[in-house]
């Protein structure tokens, strides 16, 4: 029967058999449509990624819709260049441009992070070595496994970012070349609109419509690299000058012989703590009360401000600047300083042979070779302060316990000689939650008592959901650190006690809101009037709380002025 049917006819389909050729042809016909739709969607996503990367700002506060409604001149110029290049050269340019765009995007993201924490952009020459410290910080906070996971995830994101921008630019370059007839007038129109908007200064939501952000970023990075390379040579020249390098030991610090001299750093204690209206009332009350209590014990004080080389973080840069008399504002300078033999404030005390020099470093959790550079006879870190209580977020040891350990291990030892101590108080290190509370000095034990204190404190994740809470808890942390120090001096200080306490840097921008600069308070406390007479010419104010009109020195100026004031006259 089938032989009698025309060749063009086909028997009716039967259940379970393959569809006839007409149905198959229909399915095939639909496939190019789906492919076209998918291809257009991928191209659209590539365009969004490339334009978004070109317009991405380098500050979190600039991440607004208006930032992405502009015209990037780099896209117009890049498309025009592809139309005049040969196919092979065009592909090479597209790959290089895509990879370069990925690098610029990565740098912008790093800038966002650095500006949010350190209030400065990322330095592509000098800041890479900070990632070693960041990994160590993650290890301390999350454990080695957690830190390794974060590092691996960050590495994967970098690879994905670079691959995505490269593939996207390559794809768009093919589209531009393939549709040359449409692309050419589109480029001309876009270029004309860009020029007109640039000439007229047209803006959307405060952002210029005629954008050239990526070109500016690349130009700025080139200048940064040149400055970073030149900085090392400049620092070597600065470090070669030292007015006290050859000063004989018997002429150093003669005005402090027989005194116990304590240099106390209070983490993140900046000008904002005492002049920001949202913080100054409570912290000012603590300072006023501390002044009254110390005054009742016979102590007097003088205070001013020091301009710190860092803000938001990087405490070690401030510590080394203060001690060395050199401006240490990046990690490369710090490394170069540590490899030299610069006379520091602390090593000057050791050189005299008249003091035992010690460091109380509760934030240190591993070997700290810098102790040798600073001339410290012994360093007590979080592992040997005798603390067996809980960590308070980042802070390994509460400030009051650190001071109590100093009293137990060094200051309170019978028959000892004069001491010089560098003490770092870390309870005011962010995230400022939970904050410890003051306890009786004789009730601290091995620190186990702090378990209940920590449980009653606030959760840092909840605090950081609200900037107002962050500022409030920062203030509470500074209050605790100051109260710990005042109570220690009041309880254990004597006629031969001299305390220099200061901040290392301003807190993060969430607290400062980019106000009041980089200054930190510095205060000298002593009972012996002769100690204060030595600095009578400094013009410092007679209060532990410096006012708005107090003198401001660069932090690197302190070493020479201190050694001059208390040296042989």
């Amino acid at each position: 029967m089938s032989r009698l049917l025309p060749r063009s006819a086909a028997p009716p389909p039967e259940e379970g058999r393959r569809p006839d050729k007409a149905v198959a042809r229909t399915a095939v016909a639909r496939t190019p449509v789906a492919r076209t739709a998918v291809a257009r969607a991928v191209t659209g996503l590539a365009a969004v990624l490339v334009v978004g990367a070109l317009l991405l700002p380098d500050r979190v506060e600039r991440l607004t819709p208006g930032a992405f409604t502009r015209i990037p001149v780099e896209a117009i110029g890049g498309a025009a260049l592809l139309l005049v290049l040969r196919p092979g050269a065009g592909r090479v340019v597209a790959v290089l441009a895509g990879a370069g765009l990925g690098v610029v995007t990565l740098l912008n993201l790093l800038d966002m992070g650095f500006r949010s924490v350190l209030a400065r952009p990322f330095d592509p020459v000098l800041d890479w070595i900070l990632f070693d410290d960041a990994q160590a910080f993650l290890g301390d906070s999350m454990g080695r496994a957690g830190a390794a996971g974060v590092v691996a995830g960050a590495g994967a994101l970098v690879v994905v970012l670079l691959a995505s921008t490269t593939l996207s630019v390559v794809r768009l370059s093919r589209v531009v070349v393939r549709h040359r007839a449409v692309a050419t007038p589109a480029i001309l129109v876009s270029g004309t609109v860009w020029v007109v908007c640039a000439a007229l200064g047209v803006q959307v939501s405060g952002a210029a419509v005629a954008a050239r952000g990526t070109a500016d970023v690349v130009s700025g990075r080139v200048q940064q690299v040149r400055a970073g390379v030149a900085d090392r040579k400049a620092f070597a020249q600065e470090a070669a000058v030292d007015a006290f390098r050859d000063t004989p030991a018997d002429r150093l610090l003669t005005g402090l012989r027989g005194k116990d001299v304590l240099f106390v750093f209070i983490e993140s204690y900046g000008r904002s703590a005492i002049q920001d209206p949202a913080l100054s009332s409570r912290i000012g009350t603590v300072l006023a009360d501390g002044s009254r209590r110390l005054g009742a014990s016979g102590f007097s004080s003088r205070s001013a401000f020091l301009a710190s080389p860092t803000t938001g973080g990087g405490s070690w840069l401030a510590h080394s600047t203060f001690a060395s008399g050199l401006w240490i504002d990046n990690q490369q300078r710090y490394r170069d300083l540590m490899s030299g033999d610069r006379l520091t404030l602390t090593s000057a005390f050791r050189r005299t042979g008249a003091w035992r020099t010690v460091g109380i470093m509760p934030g240190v959790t591993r070997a700290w070779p810098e102790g040798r550079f600073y001339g410290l006879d012994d360093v007590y870190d979080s592992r040997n302060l005798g603390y067996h209580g809980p960590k308070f977020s980042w802070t390994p040891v509460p400030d009051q316990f650190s001071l109590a350990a100093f009293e137990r291990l060094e200051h309170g030892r019978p028959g000892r000689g004069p001491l010089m101590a560098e003490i770092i108080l870390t309870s005011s290190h962010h995230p400022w939650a939970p904050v410890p509370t003051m306890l009786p000095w004789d009730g601290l034990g091995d620190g186990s008592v702090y378990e209940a204190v920590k449980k009653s404190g606030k959760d840092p994740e909840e605090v950081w959901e609200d900037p107002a809470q962050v500022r409030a808890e920062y203030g509470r942390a500074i209050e605790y650190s100051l109260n710990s120090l005042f109570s220690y001096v009041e309880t254990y200080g004597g006629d031969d006690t001299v305390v220099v306490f200061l901040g290392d840097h301003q807190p993060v921008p969430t607290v400062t809101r980019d106000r009041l600069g980089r200054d930190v308070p510095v205060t000298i406390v002593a009972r012996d009037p002769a100690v204060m007479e030595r600095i009578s010419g400094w013009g410092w104010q007679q209060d532990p709380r410096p006012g708005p009109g107090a003198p401001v020195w660069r932090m690197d100026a302190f070493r020479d002025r201190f050694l001059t004031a208390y040296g042989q006259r």
Side-chain angles (χ1 to χ4, degrees), residues 113-174:
F114 270 65
R115 290 183 188 277
S116 297
V117 177
L118 301 177
R120 65 171 178 83
F122 172 76
D123 191 311
V125 175
L126 304 174
D127 282 340
W128 291 108
I129 45 183
L130 286 179
F131 290 104
D132 290 339
D133 299 300
Q135 185 175 5
F137 175 81
L138 289 173
D140 294 338
S141 304
M142 307 171 58
R144 295 181 63 181
V150 171
V151 171
L157 287 175
V158 170
V159 172
V160 170
L161 173 64
L162 295 176
S164 298
T165 54
T166 302
L167 293 174
S168 295
V169 171
V170 169
R171 184 178 188 85
L172 293 177
S173 69
R174 291 173 179 170

Side-chain angles (χ1 to χ4, degrees), residues 49 128-129 189 206 350 421 423 425 445 466:
L49 176 62
W128 291 108
I129 45 183
V189 171
R350 188 181 188 186
I423 302 173
L425 300 184
D466 179 9

Side-chain angles (χ1 to χ4, degrees), residues 243-244 246-257 348 352 355 533-534 559-569:
F244 291 91
D246 301 321
T247 302
D250 61 357
R251 296 175 61 88
L252 284 170
L253 299 163
T254 54
L256 292 173
R257 297 296 171 102
T352 67
W355 281 272
E533 191 278 329
R534 288 257 181 170
R559 186 204 73 154
D560 286 10
R561 295 192 181 190
F562 188 88
L563 292 177
T564 299
Y566 292 106
Q568 182 172 328
R569 293 180 172 180

Side-chain angles (χ1 to χ4, degrees), residues 5 23 34 119 206 276 317 319 337 379 398 415 465 489 519 534:
L5 294 174
V23 175
D276 186 325
L317 302 179
H319 298 171
L337 176 68
V379 174
E465 291 176 356
V489 176
D519 298 343
R534 288 257 181 170

Side-chain angles (χ1 to χ4, degrees), residues 252-549:
L252 284 170
L253 299 163
T254 54
L256 292 173
R257 297 296 171 102
K259 305 295 185 185
D260 293 324
V261 183
L262 314 182
F263 294 103
V264 183
F265 280 93
I266 299 176
E267 172 69 34
S268 300
Y269 177 42
R271 185 187 281 265
S272 293
I274 59 175
Q275 290 188 3
D276 186 325
L279 302 166
S280 59
S281 59
R282 291 186 57 177
I283 294 175
T285 299
V286 171
L287 288 165
D289 181 64
S291 179
R292 178 188 58 78
R293 289 156 56 190
L294 294 181
S297 299
F299 288 93
S300 62
S301 62
R302 300 289 186 275
S303 65
F305 289 104
L306 299 178
S308 175
T310 184
T311 185
S315 303
W316 58 94
L317 302 179
H319 298 171
S320 55
T321 295
F322 178 80
S324 70
L326 292 170
W327 191 251
I328 312 299
D329 61 349
N330 62 63
Q331 193 69 4
Q332 186 59 62
R333 284 188 166 221
Y334 179 78
R335 296 279 177 92
D336 289 346
L337 176 68
M338 291 299 121
S339 64
D341 59 356
R342 177 83 173 184
L343 180 73
T344 65
L345 275 178
T346 46
S347 60
F349 280 86
R350 188 181 188 186
R351 179 190 285 186
T352 67
W355 281 272
R356 171 170 164 76
T357 59
V358 299
I360 304 297
M361 309 288 174
V364 174
T365 59
R366 55 177 60 83
W368 193 61
E370 288 93 330
R372 291 192 297 273
F373 170 79
Y374 285 114
L376 300 176
D377 295 320
D378 275 304
V379 174
Y380 298 94
D381 60 30
S382 60
R383 301 166 298 174
N384 52 24
L385 286 172
Y387 182 70
H388 298 285
K391 290 179 64 175
F392 284 76
S393 294
W394 180 87
T395 307
V397 184
D399 290 345
Q400 187 185 5
F401 192 96
S402 296
L403 291 166
F406 170 62
E407 182 65 23
R408 182 182 72 253
L409 295 167
E410 290 288 345
H411 189 260
R413 290 168 54 186
R416 63 166 179 81
L419 279 172
M420 190 293 304
E422 181 177 358
I423 302 173
I424 313 297
L425 300 184
T426 61
S427 290
S428 50
H429 191 290
H430 69 276
W432 308 304
V435 178
T437 56
M438 289 296 295
L439 300 171
W441 287 99
D442 59 359
L444 299 181
D446 66 353
S448 301
V449 66
Y450 285 102
E451 291 286 357
V453 176
K454 180 179 180 180
K455 288 180 181 178
S456 64
K458 295 187 177 182
D459 187 322
E461 292 185 5
E462 294 179 3
V463 168
W464 279 80
E465 291 176 356
D466 179 9
Q469 279 202 65
V470 174
R471 286 189 285 274
E473 294 308 301
Y474 162 76
R476 289 186 62 236
I478 293 294
E479 291 175 44
Y480 168 74
S481 296
L482 288 170
N483 275 321
S484 296
L485 179 59
F486 288 145
S487 180
Y488 176 81
V489 176
E490 182 184 25
T491 305
Y492 299 107
D495 292 341
D496 293 327
T497 300
V498 178
V499 179
V500 180
F501 72 90
L502 68 154
D504 47 13
H505 54 70
Q506 283 266 59
V508 297
T510 303
V511 175
T512 65
R513 291 168 286 186
D514 293 325
R515 302 172 183 172
L516 299 175
R518 294 190 172 196
D519 298 343
V520 299
V522 57
T523 302
I524 296 181
V525 176
R527 185 177 282 173
D528 185 350
V531 172
M532 293 305 181
E533 191 278 329
R534 288 257 181 170
I535 61 171
S536 59
W538 286 5
W540 286 22
Q541 297 180 345
Q542 298 185 34
D543 193 287
R545 177 186 182 181

